[in-house]
Amino acid sequence: MIDQHRQAFKEEAYELLAELESSLLELEERPDDQDLIGRVFRAMHTIKGSGSMFGFDDIASFTHEVETIFDMVRNGKLQVTGRLVNLTLAARDLIRAMLDAADSGEATDLQASAEIIVGLRELAGFQGQVAAAAQKEEVHEAQKDSVTYRIRFAPAREIFVSGTNPLTLIAELRELGACTVVAQTAGFPCLEEMNPESCYVYWDVILTTDQGENAIRDVFIFVEDDCELKIEPIAEHNRYEEQQDYKRLGEILVERGDITSDDMRAVLSQQKRFGELAISQGILHEGKVQAALAEQQHIKEVRQEKQVAEASSSIRVPAERLDLLVNLVGEMVTVQARLSQTAAQRADSELMAIAEEVERLTAELRDSALNIRMLPIGSTFSKFKRLVRDLSAELGKQIEMTTEGAETELDKTVIEKLNDPLVHLIRNSIDHGIERPEARVEAGKPERGTVHLSAVHSGDSVLITIADDGAGLDKEAIRTKGIERGIIPAGAELSDKELFNLIFAPGFSTAKTISSVSGRGVGMDVVKRAIEALRGSIDITSVRGEGTRITVKIPLTLAIIESLLVKIGKDSFMMPLALVDECVELTREDVAAAHGRNLAHVRDQLVPYIPLREHFAIPGAPPEIEQIVITQVNGVRVGFVVDHVIGEHQTVIKSLGRAYKDTEGISGATILGDGTVALILDIPQLVQAAEAAQ
């Protein structure tokens, strides 16, 4: 159980550190933003308090130093500066390293820790002894949970004479937390004997607060000597040890001293409701019973609120469990397809009805399971902000990164695999896209360059765009390099899109010098392969002197896709539906009219096609009328000739074994309802191979 709590703390701490990094980068731009300062302070405060609670004492101790500094910032005693942000980012990196090393038992980098602490203390002129003295108390505060107190406040009968209004004190109590007040009026005399300047009432109060008993006593500090004041803690609302059942009414009254144990047993023996019997026998006044019932109700409500708050918050689940769940759902989808196919073959109406119900439930289960793994891409964006900041400083450039669409959700696996390609693209933009400040001024641009990163949903895909306002791509240099490398013939007429796509050729670079950061073209083939491995595509537009825009199109998830099932002979193939534009027929007359060229005439446009039977050397004669599935890859329409188009299909992707992982044009496989295997076509790779063969 302790290990589970430690693991939960680590997961929470990693999230807080990501938020901390994002907040610090924003704070550097808006140093007076009190909300950001508060977010940094709270992140540090939570890591420190929880770290101490779960035995991460080194992290708690180190984090306390940073938290103390930001407490001073929060209170207006210290200004946010670039040096403070730098030191805090370094502290954030060190805390992450401490978390990583916690399980391996590696020692903390004491030198780095000391340097950061010294730097922070120099900034604040802070005395370490003061911090150490304050630490113990503040860690205790971080661990504090709410407590419910039973308070009996019986003021002196002459309290009005001193000018004190007891109701004001009750109102102050209400400010400390959830409060239930019951006035006890049993001491009221008859009207003839009543003195209007005397107080005949006392109060039973149930208060749930995290302020501590001293805060309650402070409310009564001026009247405590002249009243009966009893404060008892009756329930601690600890996160992990919440009591399930509260005391019974009789137990509360005995505990309060309002009834003896003997009287309680005597009343209980009469088999009636305890409160009613106690009142009817004159053992208790009704007000005291009401106070005890109010106490029960108060505790019940506090616990319900706590349970609702905890239930509405998110839960942490290891990623492996989610992967297992999605895999099982994938198996379910396969079995459901088999059930539907069997039901259709037997023409059994009852079986058909069951199959349709299972299909509906499986679709809902599939969507829910996939949605669980969807995460906003914003957490990745914050990493890139840090990357831009650090590289700008390293290269002596002034670059601002702006983001848009951080809330756009993608499958967790896609986000993880997308990280490296995006890092490479952004590094290229910074290194070769954005000019140095003096060059930008000379070109009439502001000194500070901009890299804009955005994400937006587009159907069942996400478009991620990296746009910079730098120098743009040099088309002539690319053309010259392409001719030198023999990629294109001299005098070739290429569109801008075709020309820019040359930079994805292996080893292609127009950079005169290769820097330590990147070279535009160096490694871009790796980026393209990584994107295509995610069944995505990449597109470039650029204007010389104005900047470059790179758009990456990625499917929402990699686990299950919508696809088009096609057949060639007895073999089945899947084509990702997101890439399919339309399907048209191809007759023998059409083939003859093309005079041996693989071109189809579709609504006054010529569309090149790839005959898949020929490409995969599948034996047998094609049907008289074939089908062309027209796809769109990187803005270019390309057809694929198949025997028959069967229809849409939910495809659970299975990876190919090691022996087939390098098979060209195939990205995976799936199992159909009849138990046979269908191969998933890698459309971009097939197009690329066809272009290379020409």
Side-chain angles (χ1 to χ4, degrees):
M1 182 64 74
I2 291 175
D3 287 343
Q4 287 181 3
H5 291 163
R6 282 173 61 89
Q7 188 58 35
F9 162 71
K10 286 183 68 178
E11 291 173 8
E12 181 186 22
Y14 282 129
E15 288 182 12
L16 288 169
L17 288 176
E19 182 186 337
L20 178 67
E21 184 178 55
S22 171
S23 300
L24 285 168
L25 295 173
E26 290 184 46
L27 190 60
E28 191 172 35
E29 298 168 3
R30 304 194 300 277
D32 297 325
D33 192 321
Q34 289 301 316
D35 181 51
L36 289 172
I37 294 169
R39 279 162 56 185
V40 172
F41 176 80
R42 285 194 295 275
M44 287 295 181
H45 188 74
T46 306
I47 292 172
K48 182 190 74 173
S50 300
S52 174
M53 189 182 301
F54 296 114
F56 293 84
D57 294 335
D58 56 341
I59 292 177
S61 175
F62 177 72
T63 309
H64 172 73
E65 298 284 348
V66 190
E67 181 209 10
T68 304
I69 296 299
F70 268 87
D71 190 33
M72 297 176 70
V73 176
R74 195 174 58 155
N75 294 324
K77 298 176 182 174
L78 193 66
Q79 294 296 315
V80 174
T81 61
R83 179 163 164 71
L84 175 59
V85 173
N86 286 338
L87 285 168
T88 313
L89 283 171
R92 175 261 177 205
D93 294 342
L94 185 58
I95 294 169
R96 185 176 175 88
M98 289 177 173
L99 283 169
D100 292 340
D103 295 331
S104 62
E106 292 179 24
T108 304
D109 187 344
L110 295 177
Q111 185 176 352
S113 172
E115 288 175 358
I116 293 170
I117 291 173
V118 168
L120 290 171
R121 289 181 178 176
E122 282 177 356
L123 273 181
F126 191 68
Q127 299 300 316
Q129 293 81 357
V130 177
Q135 181 177 5
K136 186 175 179 181
E137 181 182 348
E138 294 190 12
V139 168
H140 175 73
E141 288 290 322
Q143 297 174 354
K144 197 162 57 180
D145 281 306
S146 61
V147 176
T148 296
Y149 294 91
R150 176 192 297 150
I151 303 165
R152 175 158 289 179
F153 169 48
R157 186 157 292 185
E158 301 79 19
I159 190 169
F160 295 137
V161 178
S162 65
T164 303
N165 184 351
L167 295 180
T168 307
L169 303 179
I170 298 296
E172 283 187 43
L173 276 183
R174 290 184 185 279
E175 294 177 0
L176 296 179
C179 200
T180 301
V181 180
V182 177
Q184 300 291 356
T185 58
F188 265 97
C190 60
L191 194 59
E192 293 79 13
E193 297 175 357
M194 183 178 289
N195 179 357
E197 295 184 348
S198 297
C199 178
Y200 299 100
V201 189
Y202 69 91
W203 288 267
D204 284 323
V205 181
I206 313 300
L207 172 67
T208 301
T209 179
D210 59 0
Q211 299 296 307
E213 185 173 335
N214 288 337
I216 300 172
R217 291 197 176 278
D218 287 347
V219 173
F220 302 100
I221 191 167
F222 297 114
V223 299
E224 190 167 1
D225 293 338
D226 298 323
C227 70
E228 178 191 341
L229 181 64
K230 197 173 178 181
I231 304 172
E232 301 171 84
I234 56 174
E236 293 186 7
H237 304 285
N238 185 282
R239 181 182 302 178
Y240 303 109
E241 297 175 359
E242 182 76 286
Q243 297 175 23
Q244 295 301 314
D245 299 314
Y246 193 57
K247 300 160 189 163
R248 294 175 178 275
L249 178 62
E251 292 173 338
I252 297 171
L253 287 163
V254 170
E255 204 173 275
R256 283 168 173 261
D258 293 333
I259 189 174
T260 65
S261 299
D262 291 341
D263 287 339
M264 182 182 73
R265 282 192 289 273
V267 172
L268 287 173
S269 66
Q270 297 185 38
Q271 298 295 315
K272 290 186 179 179
R273 297 187 71 175
F274 180 83
E276 295 172 1
L277 286 169
I279 294 170
S280 65
Q281 294 182 9
I283 298 172
L284 280 172
H285 186 270
E286 184 179 356
K288 292 181 178 178
V289 175
Q290 292 301 326
L293 288 171
E295 180 177 318
Q296 274 186 327
Q297 184 64 24
H298 181 98
I299 296 292
K300 182 180 176 183
E301 289 174 358
V302 168
R303 288 182 175 174
Q304 282 179 343
E305 287 176 9
K306 190 176 178 66
Q307 286 170 357
V308 169
E310 290 178 353
S312 62
S313 61
S314 59
I315 59 171
R316 298 178 194 282
V317 179
E320 295 79 17
R321 294 188 189 179
L322 290 182
D323 293 340
L324 177 62
L325 175 64
V326 172
N327 287 337
L328 290 174
V329 170
E331 298 296 333
M332 179 82 80
V333 170
T334 303
V335 172
Q336 172 265 314
R338 189 173 180 181
L339 175 63
S340 297
Q341 187 166 335
T342 304
Q345 289 170 349
R346 296 188 180 180
D348 183 330
S349 59
E350 187 173 353
L351 186 58
M352 286 284 287
I354 295 172
E356 287 174 3
E357 185 66 12
V358 171
E359 185 176 355
R360 183 184 65 79
L361 292 173
T362 305
E364 290 183 11
L365 181 62
R366 178 203 63 181
D367 292 344
S368 298
L370 293 180
N371 282 336
I372 290 173
R373 298 208 316 179
M374 300 299 273
L375 295 174
I377 200 171
S379 58
T380 304
F381 281 9
S382 62
K383 292 181 191 172
F384 298 146
K385 277 196 169 185
R386 177 76 182 275
L387 174 72
V388 171
R389 178 184 186 275
D390 293 348
L391 279 183
S392 301
E394 183 181 336
L395 297 172
K397 296 182 178 180
Q398 297 178 22
I399 302 174
E400 178 185 10
M401 183 173 195
T402 56
T403 61
E404 184 180 358
E407 70 285 355
T408 307
E409 291 188 333
L410 264 174
D411 188 289
K412 176 183 73 69
T413 308
V414 178
I415 290 179
E416 289 171 357
K417 293 185 177 180
L418 198 57
N419 186 67
D420 288 346
L422 289 183
V423 165
H424 198 96
L425 292 173
I426 293 170
R427 289 164 70 96
N428 272 341
S429 287
I430 297 170
D431 191 17
H432 293 283
I434 305 290
E435 312 93 328
R436 291 187 173 280
E438 57 272 17
R440 290 181 62 85
V441 171
E442 190 176 337
K445 295 180 179 180
E447 280 186 329
R448 197 177 181 84
T450 302
V451 174
H452 184 69
L453 184 61
S454 68
V456 64
H457 280 126
S458 174
D460 61 351
S461 301
V462 168
L463 299 179
I464 299 172
T465 304
I466 304 109
D468 66 62
D469 65 347
L473 294 178
D474 187 341
K475 287 192 282 189
E476 287 309 312
I478 294 174
R479 180 189 297 278
T480 304
K481 195 70 179 179
I483 295 170
E484 283 178 12
R485 288 178 55 90
I487 301 174
I488 57 172
E493 293 184 6
L494 301 177
S495 65
D496 286 355
K497 185 182 290 291
E498 291 169 331
L499 202 57
F500 294 149
N501 278 339
L502 293 180
I503 69 172
F504 293 118
F508 191 95
S509 175
T510 60
K512 294 175 183 172
T513 56
I514 304 301
S515 76
S516 59
V517 177
S518 70
R520 189 176 289 275
V522 176
M524 289 293 273
D525 56 321
V526 178
V527 172
K528 188 177 183 185
R529 281 204 301 274
I531 298 295
E532 289 175 350
L534 294 170
R535 297 199 317 281
S537 60
I538 186 167
D539 183 57
I540 300 178
T541 59
S542 181
V543 177
R544 186 69 179 155
E546 295 183 13
T548 302
R549 171 184 292 266
I550 298 177
T551 303
V552 177
K553 186 177 182 181
I554 294 291
L556 287 174
T557 179
L558 298 178
I560 299 174
I561 60 168
E562 293 292 337
S563 58
L564 190 69
L565 175 61
V566 299
K567 296 208 75 158
I568 305 172
K570 295 180 180 177
D571 297 326
S572 301
F573 297 90
M574 293 290 184
M575 305 176 77
L577 201 60
L579 298 178
V580 175
D581 265 4
E582 60 180 322
C583 299
V584 298
E585 291 183 347
L586 179 68
T587 62
R588 295 290 179 209
E589 291 75 19
D590 295 332
V591 174
H595 301 291
R597 296 176 298 171
N598 292 335
L599 291 171
H601 213 84
V602 182
R603 292 191 293 279
D604 298 331
Q605 283 189 339
L606 287 175
V607 177
Y609 62 75
I610 300 170
L612 288 179
R613 176 183 286 275
E614 185 180 318
H615 182 87
F616 290 120
I618 298 173
E624 284 298 314
I625 301 177
E626 295 176 281
Q627 303 284 325
I628 305 177
V629 181
I630 300 178
T631 63
Q632 186 149 181
V633 180
N634 295 329
V636 178
R637 278 161 61 88
V638 180
F640 291 86
V641 177
V642 300
D643 288 358
H644 306 287
V645 174
I646 306 302
E648 295 182 18
H649 194 276
Q650 277 186 25
T651 300
V652 180
I653 300 173
K654 304 287 184 184
S655 57
L656 297 173
R658 286 185 180 177
Y660 305 102
K661 67 177 183 179
D662 294 326
T663 305
E664 190 178 86
I666 305 296
S667 61
T670 190
I671 300 172
L672 300 177
D674 60 2
T676 59
V677 173
L679 297 174
I680 302 169
L681 297 179
D682 188 334
I683 302 296
Q685 199 176 62
L686 285 170
V687 173
Q688 193 175 358
E691 289 174 348
Q694 289 178 351

